[in-house]
Amino acid sequence: MVSAADQLASSAGVSMLDRGGTAADAMVAAASVMAVVGPHLCGLGGDALAMVKAPGAPPQALLAVGRAGSGADPARLRGAGQVDMPLRGDVASVPVPGAVDGWLALHERYGRLSWDVVLEQAIALAEEGFAASLLLAFASHLVAGTPGAAALCSDGPVGPLEPGQRVRLPGVARTLRNLASGGRDAFYGGEFGVALLELGQGEYTSDDLARRLAQWAEPLVLRAFGHDLWTVPPPSQGYLTLAGAWIADQVKVPVDPSDPLWPHLIAEAGRVASFDRPAVLFDGADGAGLLSPERLEARAQSIDPERSASSSPTPSSPPPSRPQGATARPGPPVLSDGDTTHLCAVDAEGLGISLTQSNALDFGSHLIAGETGVFLHNRGVGFSLEPGHPAEYGPRRRPTHTLSPALATRPDGSLAQIIGTMGGDVQPQIIVQLLVRLLHAGEDPATAISAPRVVHEAPGAPPFRLWQAASQSLLMEANAPGSWREGLESRGHQVRVVGALNPVDVGCSQIISVEATGDHCTFTGASDPRSPDGEALGR
């Protein structure tokens, strides 16, 4: 089974399974198709993180996280008056993209089909064209007229796409063909790499591109709701998923999600798990230490079931300060219509993969690598410009990451859930709500994934700066039970109601559940209805 935010990607993945491929072959096929049909979400110019569970083996984490170039210079940015990393238009926020290295690492370790075969459908869609999805058409207004972006409207005038308009991406097709025939060297050392070096004007060196970016790592694990929950280690914020779920379990979140106490405890668990993330998360942070029982028990005990504390951060661990004398300067309004996508895949032999890939913010930096048509991400927004901060922008450093792919296993080690979402800073909160519904309330994937959500927000704060804000309020979908708003507001929460099933507000998720019965496994998948083009497909 394969679940993705676009049925073209799901179909490509299943076709690899039909040809005898593994879940890794299916995942690379689906991920590369998403890079073609969802350039507002992800692409060859972004990063990818994954959790992998092979039969009979413990889960593994894959970090395909790009590093800043050797020419990274925080003094340049501070000297120009920057107090935060630039969102767009500056290569400083473009670490060397890691997604392609991640695909290669997955395929090398677990793939069975040839490398060129798994990229076939992505190449065909880029060359022959595809119908623009509703969400791509809606997002295309963000880059209409951007230099190098005209290919998005190659069959029409340079401007926003119309839903269903045919899109051909010849530069992306050429880049994928080179990758299919020449592997890593043809990508990082080929046309794409040359374009990145030219665009960087000293930000990168050829050695930066030659250095492999994908790293297999020990995952983080914590038991909650009778299951072992697994996610990727820092620099990802995935530890917040495990912390939030553990805390929700400890404070006895109700089984019934319609109980007015349910959203309060979910919100408070997310807050006490996350409030100090800006101070403690960086490349090399001690993920296991961030999940220590002593640390989490104190946070669970601080939750008042009858009162919200979300209007102010915990005084003992304030967000990091700005450089002395610096003040925040509001930038131009930032519009975002997507930034990330999640994919799930599992094969008949039991190999399961949970992979999240991303441009960071919609089309990333809005910079394009030469004539390749590949949008470059802006994951460097995860760096700090505070001198001496452990996540400070600097040569060959990795930024903090919002991507938080996860999976759950039963006490006997068998795979139970493959799960992940888009959603920026609130990805862990979304995944916790899904896990509570699946593992605690016993909901099926379709029910859990279409259910209403409540997440923290900081109105007016820049993207990826939720926990730097002085206070946070709650965003709740309009299809939530009536008891939710009354219960939240009576406990002191500030609540903003938004339309139901909107991926911009509460993310777009994917789930595959695995049930073993004797010698047989049953896979139940669900693709989030917040992405109308998504689908979970099996064979």
Side-chain angles (χ1 to χ4, degrees), residues 1 3 344 410 416-420 430-431 433-439 441-453 501 508-515 522-530 535-536:
M1 175 167 278
S3 184
C344 300
R410 299 179 181 85
Q417 305 285 344
I418 307 170
I419 192 167
I430 296 168
I431 298 172
Q433 291 174 66
L434 294 173
L435 289 171
V436 170
R437 289 179 176 277
L438 292 164
L439 304 179
E443 293 182 354
D444 63 86
T447 301
I449 209 167
S450 58
R453 297 170 187 166
L501 303 178
C508 174
S509 312
Q510 309 295 328
I511 301 172
I512 296 178
S513 295
V514 181
E515 283 288 345
T522 301
F523 305 142
T524 306
S527 179
D528 204 318
R530 294 166 183 82
E535 195 163 7

Side-chain angles (χ1 to χ4, degrees), residues 343-486:
L343 304 98
C344 300
V346 61
D347 62 31
E349 296 171 13
L351 176 64
I353 302 175
S354 175
L355 181 144
T356 313
Q357 62 183 26
S358 176
N359 282 338
L361 185 70
D362 62 74
F363 290 91
S365 63
H366 289 201
L367 298 173
I368 297 172
E371 300 300 317
T372 66
V374 174
F375 284 92
L376 299 169
H377 66 167
N378 56 349
R379 185 55 62 181
V381 297
F383 285 120
S384 171
L385 283 180
E386 179 186 350
H389 190 282
E392 184 182 7
Y393 168 61
R396 291 195 170 181
R397 291 185 173 181
R398 296 189 298 186
T400 61
H401 237 283
T402 58
L403 305 191
S404 310
L407 55 82
T409 58
R410 299 179 181 85
D412 65 3
S414 62
L415 181 61
Q417 305 285 344
I418 307 170
I419 192 167
T421 189
M422 63 176 280
D425 287 335
V426 298
Q427 284 183 35
Q429 295 182 36
I430 296 168
I431 298 172
V432 167
Q433 291 174 66
L434 294 173
L435 289 171
V436 170
R437 289 179 176 277
L438 292 164
L439 304 179
H440 189 46
E443 293 182 354
D444 63 86
T447 301
I449 209 167
S450 58
R453 297 170 187 166
V454 58
V455 297
H456 283 90
E457 66 169 355
F464 306 111
R465 294 292 182 265
L466 171 62
W467 300 109
Q468 278 94 329
S471 64
Q472 296 79 35
S473 55
L474 294 179
L475 181 153
M476 185 186 78
E477 288 188 285
N479 58 332
S483 60
W484 276 24
R485 183 168 188 174
E486 181 180 350

Side-chain angles (χ1 to χ4, degrees), residues 23-37:
D25 297 312
M27 180 59 75
V28 174
S32 59
V33 166
M34 282 303 307
V36 173
V37 302

